């Protein structure tokens, strides 16, 4: 990895209840908590520890963050933003560009279809062809893509990040 290389995880929330008092209030299911914990362990096994985390304000994303960070042993406090809840891929990218420049590793935890589109659009097409094919096959709940990118957050453009890994909680 180059000196200026940063790591970014783009993750979809884990499985949530089908209904809630509002869409924002939908909580995780037991399976969702288990899958989120598995994702946290997967990231920890790869040595990924975020310096910064951006999490949608929805209950299911905040619960996913808690399960992932607990399983991984992280202590970073997430930046919870309502703007990510309804953001499209380009708006989500704008939020990433605002990350603190001192952060070398970051995680974005949001909703589909935004996160799957964002992951596809960030990919520069390099990396393990099998991993790229798995990622292109779908982005179910608790899925995440690990990217490496060169340069600063504010310079991040579509098609400029290398896929380093892809994880699905359950097929």
């Amino acid at each position: 990895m180059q000196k200026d290389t940063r790591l970014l995880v783009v993750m979809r929330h884990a499985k949530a209840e089908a209904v809630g008092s509002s869409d924002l209030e939908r909580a995780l299911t037991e399976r969702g908590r288990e899958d989120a914990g598995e994702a946290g362990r997967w990231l920890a096994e790869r040595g990924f520890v975020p310096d910064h985390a951006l999490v949608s304000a929805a209950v299911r994303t905040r619960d996913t963050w808690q399960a992932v960070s607990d399983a991984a042993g992280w202590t970073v406090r997430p930046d919870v933003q309502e703007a990510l809840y309804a953001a499209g891929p380009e708006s989500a990218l704008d939020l990433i560009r605002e990350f603190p420049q001192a952060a070398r590793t970051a995680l974005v935890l949001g909703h589909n279809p935004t996160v799957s589109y964002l992951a596809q659009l960030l990919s520069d097409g390099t990396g393990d062809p099998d991993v790229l094919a798995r990622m292109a096959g779908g982005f179910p709940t608790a899925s995440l893509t690990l990217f490496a990118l060169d340069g600063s957050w504010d310079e991040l453009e579509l098609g400029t990040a290398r896929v380093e890994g892809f994880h699905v909680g359950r097929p």
Side-chain angles (χ1 to χ4, degrees), residues 2-167:
Q2 295 180 6
K3 183 181 178 188
D4 285 348
T5 299
R6 296 172 193 270
L7 296 177
L8 173 67
V9 168
V10 175
M11 183 174 184
R12 181 179 178 192
H13 66 78
K15 183 149 183 72
E17 299 170 334
V19 294
S21 60
S22 73
D23 188 61
L24 275 168
E25 298 299 318
R26 291 173 43 218
L28 291 185
T29 63
E30 183 59 35
R31 172 185 163 181
R33 282 188 288 283
E34 292 170 8
D35 291 351
E38 173 58 30
R41 288 185 289 279
W42 186 87
L43 287 166
E45 288 170 4
R46 280 144 190 82
F48 181 84
V49 179
D51 297 322
H52 183 75
L54 174 64
V55 177
S56 162
V59 169
R60 62 191 176 277
T61 48
R62 290 183 286 135
D63 288 350
T64 299
W65 167 258
Q66 193 63 55
V68 169
S69 63
D70 287 350
W74 301 334
T75 58
V76 66
R77 293 180 59 111
D79 176 10
V80 177
Q81 289 197 21
E82 286 186 26
L84 186 57
Y85 173 73
E90 290 184 10
S91 295
L93 180 57
D94 287 341
L95 292 169
I96 294 169
R97 289 178 178 140
E98 294 175 5
F99 285 178
Q101 291 307 314
R104 305 303 300 168
T105 57
L107 182 141
V108 175
L109 179 52
H111 309 270
N112 252 5
T114 297
V115 292
S116 62
Y117 290 156
L118 180 61
Q120 293 293 332
L121 293 169
L122 284 174
S123 175
D124 66 3
T126 64
D128 184 327
D130 292 333
V131 172
L132 293 171
R134 285 183 49 230
M135 190 175 100
F139 218 86
T141 55
S143 295
L144 63 88
T145 302
L146 174 62
F147 291 97
L149 54 115
D150 297 324
S152 61
W153 298 117
D154 59 355
E155 297 171 328
L156 181 60
E157 296 292 335
L158 300 177
T160 61
R162 294 178 307 281
V163 173
E164 298 287 324
F166 178 68
H167 174 78

